[in-house]
Amino acid sequence: MHRQVSLNFARETMESSDFIGILFAMKIDPSIASTPFAVVRDISYFEGEEEILFSVNSIFRIGPMKQIDGNNRLWQVDLTLSSDNDPDLHALTEWMREETKESTGWLRLGTLMIKLAQYNKAEHLYEILLAQRTFDDEKGNIFYQLGVVKLHQGKYADALTCYEKSLKIRRKSLPSQHSNVAECYNDIGVVYEKMGDYSRSLSSHQKALKIYQNALPPYHPNLATSYNCIGLVYFKMADYSNALSSYQKALKINQKILPSNHPDLATSYNSIGSVYDNMGDYSSALSYYLKDFEICQKPLPPNHPDLANSCNSIGLLYAKMGDYSSALSSHRKALEIRQKILPLNHSDLATSYNNIGAAYDNMDDYSNALPSYQKALEIKQKTLPSNHPDLAISYNTIGSLYDNMGDYSNALSYYQKALEIHENTLPLNHSDLATSYNSFGSVYAKINDYSNALLYYRKALEIYQKILPSSHPNLATSCNSLGLVYDTMSDYSNALSYYQKALVIKQKTLSPNHPDLISTYNNIGLMYDKIGDYSNALSSYQKALVIKQKTLPPNHPDLASTYNTIGSVYENMGDYSNVLASYQKALKIYEETLPLNHPDLASTYNNIGLVYNDMGDYPNALSFFECAVEIGQRSLPANHPSLQLWKKNLESLKRKM
C-alpha cells in the first residue's frame, strides 16, 4: 500500500481538528495462520486504491510508537497481525471472555461498557433494564452493576445504596453462602474503603472471603480479589504485616490461574512492593517493583504511561535506599516516556522534573538540581492557581536548595513566596506555617541576623505548642533551635533554659538510653561549661557518655570525643588525675582506630602533654609534645595554626627544662 496516501489522511485529521494524527504501519505474514484478510483493489469502489479488507475480529500486536518528523501530534504505530496460534493471545482472550460473562446479552453489554470505562452509557442502560424488569433476581443483578458504575463514577453513597439493595435481594433469593452474596459484601467493602471507613470495609471483605472459601475452589480468581481487597484495607490502616500476608495469598492464586503477562500479576507485585517499601524493607520492595515493571514491558508499548509510573516508583525507592544514581536513571526514563506522550505542561512532567531535581540534590549536585526544580515550578505556575499548595512546596524546595548552596538571599526570597501562600490559604495554627517559620529562622541564624532568627523560631514554637501534644519531637526541635541561637549570641542563660526544655520533652517519649538524648546532654553540658558551672557540666557530659557506652562499640571515635570533652572539664576544675585518665582513654581509642599520622591523635598527645606540664612532670610532657609535633609535621601544612601551637608548647617546655 502507498504510505504517503495514508499519511495524508493522518495529516488532514491532525490539521483540521484537535485530534492526533496516527499512521498505522501493519506487518502481515501471509504464511502464518491468522484471521482472514483479502486484497480488494480490483473490486474497490475507488479505482486504483491499494485496499486490504480485514475481518472485524482481527487482532494486532502493538509494537513501537514513534513521532513522524518530530511532530508530537503526528505518530506512527507499528502493528503486527497476530497468529491464530499465538498462546499469549489465546490465554488473554479466554480470560477476557470469562470476565465479561453474564446471564443475558444486555447485562453482558453493560459489563463490556464498564470495562471500556463508558460509565454514563452503562448507567443509562441499567436504568432502562431496571424499569423493565419485574423479577427480583434480575433486579438484584442490575442493582449490583449500577453499584459498580456508581463506584467508578466516585459516587460512593449512591454505590453503597445500590450494593445494599442488591445484597438484600440476593440474600432473599439465594443461599447464604452463594458467591453472588459474597460479591455484594466485597464491593460494599470497597466502597467503605474509598470512604475511609476501614473498620466496616474490613468487616465486609471478611464476610465475602468466608463465603468464597466455603463456596469456591481454592484457586478461584474471586478469592484472589478478596485477598487483594483485604490487603489494601490493612495497608491503609498501616497494618503492614497483615497486608503482606493477604497480598501474598492473592499472588499465589494469580500465579496459578493467570497468564504470565496478565496485568493482575503486575498489580500484585506492585502491591507487595508497596508494603515492603512502607516497612522499610527496600531490597524486597525493589525486587517486586522490578517484577511489576518486567510484566508491564511485555504487553505495553514502550511509551505507555504505566511504564513511566513504574519507573517513577522504582526511582523513589532507589532514593530511599540512598542509591541516587539509580534513582536518577529511573526518573529520567519516566521523564523520557512522559515527554513523548503528555502535553508540555502536564503535572506528571512536573513530578518527574521534581524527582530528578531531588536525586541531584541528594548527590549535592546543586547546579543540576536547580534547573530541574525550576522546570517543575514553571509547569505548576502555568497550570495551578497562584495560591495552590503545590506551588508552596516547590518554592520551599528551591529555597532549601539555595539555603544548601549558601545563597541565603535567594533562599529567603523563595521561602517568602511559600510563606505568602501558606498565610493566605492555611489556618493560623497550621503545621506547614510552622515549617515555613523554621526555614526562615534557620537562614537568619546563618546570616547572623539573630533577632529575626529568634522571631521566626518563636512563631514556629507557638504554633507547635497549640497544635501538638507536649511530648511531640517537633517541640523539642524548636526549643533546641532557639537554644542554638541564644548560644551563638552568648546568652548562655536563655540557651540553657531552652536546651533543658528540649531535654524534658525528649525524656517523655524516648528511652533513657536513646541516642537522640546525647546531643541535648552535650548542649546542656556546654552551657554549664561556658558559665563556669563545671560540676553540672561534668554531670551532663557523663550522662551523654553513659548512653554512648551502651549504644556504641567500645572503640567508637564518638566515645573518644566525649572523653576529651570530659577531660577538658576536669582540667578547668584542676583535677589533673581525672584529666589524665580521660585523655588517655581518648588516646587509646584513637590509636586503635585512626591512621598513625591523623591530626586527632596529635591533638590528644598535645592535650596530655599540657596536663603533664601543669603537673610539673616535664619529661612526660616533653614526650607527648614531641609526638604531637611529629604527627603534625607529617599531616599538616607548615603554617597550620594547630601545628604552630604544638611547636610553641614544645619550645616553651624546653625553655623550662
Side-chain angles (χ1 to χ4, degrees):
M1 293 190 66
H2 295 295
R3 170 186 169 85
Q4 192 57 45
V5 173
S6 301
L7 185 57
N8 288 340
F9 281 116
R11 287 187 188 278
E12 286 175 12
T13 300
M14 176 195 72
E15 292 167 357
S16 62
S17 69
D18 293 332
F19 294 119
I20 292 174
I22 300 178
L23 174 68
F24 291 103
M26 300 177 181
K27 182 180 178 182
I28 303 165
D29 185 348
S31 65
I32 296 176
S34 63
T35 303
F37 62 91
V39 178
V40 294
R41 62 173 174 266
D42 295 334
I43 58 173
S44 172
Y45 177 81
F46 299 99
E47 292 184 8
E49 287 285 349
E50 297 287 335
E51 293 184 351
I52 296 177
L53 181 65
F54 291 95
S55 173
V56 292
N57 61 331
S58 298
I59 296 177
F60 293 84
R61 186 179 291 272
I62 301 174
M65 295 185 290
K66 55 191 176 185
Q67 289 181 358
I68 298 175
D69 300 332
N71 190 333
N72 67 355
R73 294 188 60 237
L74 188 61
W75 293 77
Q76 176 175 316
V77 178
D78 292 344
L79 304 176
T80 303
L81 187 62
S82 294
S83 161
D84 287 345
N85 300 319
D86 187 324
D88 290 340
L89 175 61
H90 177 73
L92 195 56
T93 302
E94 288 303 312
W95 186 259
M96 291 173 67
R97 183 177 288 116
E98 182 67 22
E99 282 187 323
T100 56
K101 184 173 67 177
E102 285 290 352
S103 58
T104 70
W106 287 113
L107 287 175
R108 189 154 50 249
L109 176 61
T111 302
L112 186 59
M113 286 178 174
I114 292 172
K115 294 285 182 187
L116 295 171
Q118 299 294 315
Y119 304 124
N120 292 337
K121 292 179 180 178
E123 180 181 23
H124 183 61
L125 171 64
Y126 288 133
E127 285 173 349
I128 292 172
L129 293 176
L130 196 60
Q132 294 175 348
R133 294 302 189 266
T134 56
F135 297 108
D136 274 354
D137 59 339
E138 290 183 338
K139 284 188 175 182
N141 291 339
I142 296 169
F143 275 126
Y144 174 80
Q145 292 299 105
L146 262 176
V148 174
V149 171
K150 301 289 186 184
L151 177 61
H152 282 292
Q153 291 174 329
K155 300 174 181 176
Y156 301 132
D158 291 344
L160 191 58
T161 300
C162 291
Y163 284 138
E164 286 174 341
K165 287 180 179 178
S166 176
L167 177 62
K168 186 177 180 181
I169 293 170
R170 288 179 173 182
R171 289 179 68 182
K172 283 182 180 179
S173 59
L174 297 173
S176 61
Q177 298 298 304
H178 196 282
S179 61
N180 283 0
V181 175
E183 187 178 52
C184 284
Y185 280 128
N186 189 78
D187 283 25
I188 288 171
V190 171
V191 175
Y192 278 127
E193 180 267 315
K194 297 287 186 185
M195 297 169 74
D197 190 341
Y198 301 130
S199 174
R200 286 184 177 177
S201 175
L202 189 59
S203 173
S204 292
H205 283 313
Q206 287 171 333
K207 288 176 183 176
L209 177 62
K210 188 175 181 181
I211 295 172
Y212 285 146
Q213 287 172 326
N214 291 329
L216 300 175
Y219 290 102
H220 193 280
N222 286 359
L223 274 168
T225 300
S226 194
Y227 283 126
N228 269 327
C229 290
I230 290 172
L232 177 60
V233 177
Y234 277 126
F235 182 80
K236 293 283 183 73
M237 297 168 72
D239 184 347
Y240 300 125
S241 174
N242 276 316
L244 184 61
S245 172
S246 296
Y247 281 143
Q248 286 173 330
K249 288 174 183 175
L251 175 63
K252 186 177 179 182
I253 295 171
N254 285 337
Q255 287 173 325
K256 281 267 187 183
I257 63 175
L258 296 179
S260 62
N261 64 343
H262 194 281
D264 284 357
L265 268 176
T267 302
S268 280
Y269 288 131
N270 187 272
S271 298
I272 293 173
S274 296
V275 177
Y276 278 122
D277 192 347
N278 280 273
M279 293 172 74
D281 185 348
Y282 300 134
S283 126
S284 293
L286 181 62
S287 168
Y288 280 94
Y289 281 150
L290 291 174
K291 288 177 182 177
D292 166 37
F293 183 68
E294 185 181 349
I295 291 176
C296 288
Q297 279 183 308
K298 291 178 181 177
L300 297 178
N303 295 331
H304 195 281
D306 284 356
L307 290 175
N309 294 337
S310 187
C311 288
N312 189 66
S313 296
I314 292 169
L316 291 172
L317 185 64
Y318 275 127
K320 290 178 183 177
M321 298 169 73
D323 185 350
Y324 302 120
S325 173
S326 293
L328 184 61
S329 173
S330 293
H331 288 313
R332 280 176 172 161
K333 288 177 184 175
L335 176 63
E336 185 180 342
I337 294 171
R338 288 169 172 171
Q339 284 175 325
K340 291 177 180 177
I341 61 175
L342 298 176
L344 294 175
N345 295 324
H346 195 281
S347 61
D348 283 354
L349 283 172
T351 299
S352 283
Y353 284 125
N354 194 71
N355 290 337
I356 289 170
Y360 279 124
D361 197 349
N362 284 313
M363 295 164 73
D364 297 331
D365 186 349
Y366 302 134
S367 61
N368 276 313
L370 185 59
S372 295
Y373 283 146
Q374 287 172 329
K375 287 176 183 175
L377 175 61
E378 286 168 13
I379 293 173
K380 292 180 182 181
Q381 287 172 326
K382 290 176 182 176
T383 58
L384 299 176
S386 59
N387 62 347
H388 195 281
D390 283 357
L391 277 171
I393 292 172
S394 274
Y395 288 133
N396 266 328
T397 301
I398 295 174
S400 176
L401 185 70
Y402 277 122
D403 191 350
N404 290 332
M405 294 169 72
D407 185 346
Y408 301 125
S409 173
N410 271 318
L412 285 174
S413 172
Y414 278 91
Y415 284 148
Q416 182 63 42
K417 291 174 182 178
L419 179 60
E420 286 171 3
I421 294 175
H422 288 327
E423 288 179 331
N424 289 328
T425 59
L426 298 176
L428 292 175
N429 294 327
H430 196 281
S431 61
D432 284 353
L433 270 172
T435 302
S436 280
Y437 291 140
N438 273 326
S439 298
F440 273 97
S442 173
V443 175
Y444 279 122
K446 289 172 184 174
I447 62 177
N448 303 325
D449 185 346
Y450 301 126
S451 61
N452 269 318
L454 289 175
L455 172 68
Y456 282 100
Y457 278 143
R458 282 175 183 149
K459 286 184 175 182
L461 179 59
E462 286 172 11
I463 293 175
Y464 287 146
Q465 287 172 328
K466 290 176 182 176
I467 65 173
L468 298 177
S470 61
S471 59
H472 196 282
N474 283 1
L475 284 167
T477 301
S478 279
C479 289
N480 193 69
S481 298
L482 284 162
L484 285 170
V485 175
Y486 278 119
D487 182 3
T488 310
M489 296 170 69
S490 300
D491 184 346
Y492 303 130
S493 172
N494 272 316
L496 180 60
S497 173
Y498 277 103
Y499 286 145
Q500 287 172 328
K501 289 176 182 176
L503 177 62
V504 170
I505 295 166
K506 289 183 177 183
Q507 286 175 325
K508 290 178 181 178
T509 56
L510 301 178
S511 64
N513 296 322
H514 196 285
D516 284 356
L517 291 171
I518 294 172
S519 61
T520 308
Y521 281 128
N522 277 332
N523 288 337
I524 291 172
L526 181 61
M527 292 307 97
Y528 279 125
D529 202 352
K530 287 181 177 180
I531 63 179
D533 186 346
Y534 302 126
S535 173
N536 276 316
L538 185 61
S539 172
S540 294
Y541 286 141
Q542 286 173 332
K543 287 174 182 175
L545 175 63
V546 168
I547 298 174
K548 288 185 179 182
Q549 287 172 326
K550 291 181 177 178
T551 57
L552 297 176
N555 62 348
H556 195 282
D558 283 358
L559 277 169
S561 174
T562 301
Y563 285 129
N564 271 328
T565 302
I566 289 174
S568 71
V569 177
Y570 277 125
E571 190 168 2
N572 289 328
M573 297 170 73
D575 185 347
Y576 297 121
S577 171
N578 277 314
V579 175
L580 196 58
S582 296
Y583 284 154
Q584 286 172 334
K585 287 176 182 177
L587 178 62
K588 183 182 178 184
I589 293 173
Y590 285 147
E591 286 177 334
E592 291 175 357
T593 59
L594 297 179
L596 293 176
N597 62 346
H598 196 283
D600 284 353
L601 263 175
S603 178
T604 305
Y605 282 127
N606 181 73
N607 290 340
I608 294 174
L610 288 171
V611 177
Y612 279 122
N613 184 51
D614 290 341
M615 295 170 68
D617 185 347
Y618 299 136
N620 270 321
L622 179 66
S623 172
F624 279 94
F625 282 149
E626 286 175 341
C627 286
V629 171
E630 184 182 345
I631 293 172
Q633 287 174 331
R634 290 201 306 263
S635 60
L636 298 175
N639 61 347
H640 194 280
S642 293
L643 178 57
Q644 296 299 315
L645 175 64
W646 300 334
K647 284 183 175 180
K648 182 179 176 182
N649 290 338
L650 177 60
E651 290 163 3
S652 175
L653 177 63
K654 285 180 177 178
R655 285 195 296 270
K656 286 183 185 179
M657 298 174 70

